[in-house]
């Protein structure tokens, strides 16, 4: 039976999410393949969406890479396959994966503040206005 384009898109989106979670967890293609009983080439086919992963292998994959099934399916719509992490880099995903593991709430707050940008300065510099073309008006 031929797969529809929507099925292919959903398989590709699922495979992309598997790949991203695998990379976040630091597991190689071979290690994942060994854990779920397939070759690394087969894992690559799952991640590319070329082959459909069975539900049993998907559950084993989720356990191995340390995520839940809902996370792997996040962002996949019924009629429209979208990626759950389309705009996030690997570094951002690793940060997010490890953020909740920081024991100190003060450290988490400091990191969140750092990522949000510098805190606003209390004494913002004041800019003088002068008339353009009148050198005497400039400081």
């Amino acid at each position: 039976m031929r797969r529809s384009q929507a099925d292919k898109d959903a398989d590709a989106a699922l495979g992309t999410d598997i790949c991203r979670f695998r990379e976040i967890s630091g597991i190689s293609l071979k290690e994942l393949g060994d854990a779920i009983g397939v070759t690394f080439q087969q894992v690559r086919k799952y991640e590319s969406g070329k082959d459909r992963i069975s539900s049993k292998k998907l559950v084993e994959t989720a356990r191995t890479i340390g995520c839940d099934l809902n996370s792997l399916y996040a962002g996949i719509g019924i009629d429209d396959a979208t990626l759950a992490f389309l705009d996030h880099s690997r570094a951002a995903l690793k940060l997010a994966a490890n953020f909740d593991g920081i024991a100190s709430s003060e450290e988490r707050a400091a990191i969140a503040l750092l990522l949000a940008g510098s805190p606003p300065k209390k004494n913002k510099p004041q800019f003088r206005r002068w008339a353009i073309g009148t050198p005497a008006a400039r400081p």
Side-chain angles (χ1 to χ4, degrees), residues 98-112:
N98 294 313
F99 186 79
D100 289 331
I102 299 170
S104 167
S105 61
E106 292 84 14
E107 288 178 359
R108 284 194 309 273
I111 291 170

Side-chain angles (χ1 to χ4, degrees), residues 15 44 69 79 81 94 99 126 130 138-139:
R44 188 178 297 141
L69 292 174
D79 297 320
K94 284 183 181 181
F99 186 79
Q126 297 296 317
W130 61 81
R138 295 184 186 157

Side-chain angles (χ1 to χ4, degrees), residues 20-21 27 37 40 57 61 72 76 86 88 105-106 109 131 136:
R20 289 181 185 249
F21 278 106
I27 296 173
F40 77 91
K57 295 293 184 199
T61 297
L72 291 177
I76 298 177
L86 185 62
H88 302 293
S105 61
E106 292 84 14

Side-chain angles (χ1 to χ4, degrees), residues 15-100:
T16 298
D17 288 345
I18 290 170
C19 180
R20 289 181 185 249
F21 278 106
R22 179 184 59 76
E23 289 174 345
I24 288 169
S25 65
I27 296 173
S28 70
L29 288 166
K30 182 174 181 353
E31 290 169 329
L32 178 56
D34 290 346
I36 67 171
V38 299
T39 64
F40 77 91
Q41 292 96 333
Q42 186 60 49
V43 173
R44 188 178 297 141
K45 289 178 183 180
Y46 293 152
E47 290 183 354
S48 70
K50 185 175 180 180
D51 283 359
R52 179 170 283 176
I53 187 169
S54 72
S55 58
K56 179 181 178 190
K57 295 293 184 199
L58 185 60
V59 170
E60 292 172 358
T61 297
R63 284 187 189 132
T64 303
I65 61 179
C67 73
D68 60 274
L69 292 174
N70 289 335
S71 296
L72 291 177
Y73 282 110
I76 298 177
I78 294 171
D79 297 320
D80 176 22
T82 57
L83 302 179
F85 302 117
L86 185 62
D87 295 329
H88 302 293
S89 67
R90 288 182 187 164
L93 294 173
K94 284 183 181 181
L95 175 67
N98 294 313
F99 186 79
D100 289 331

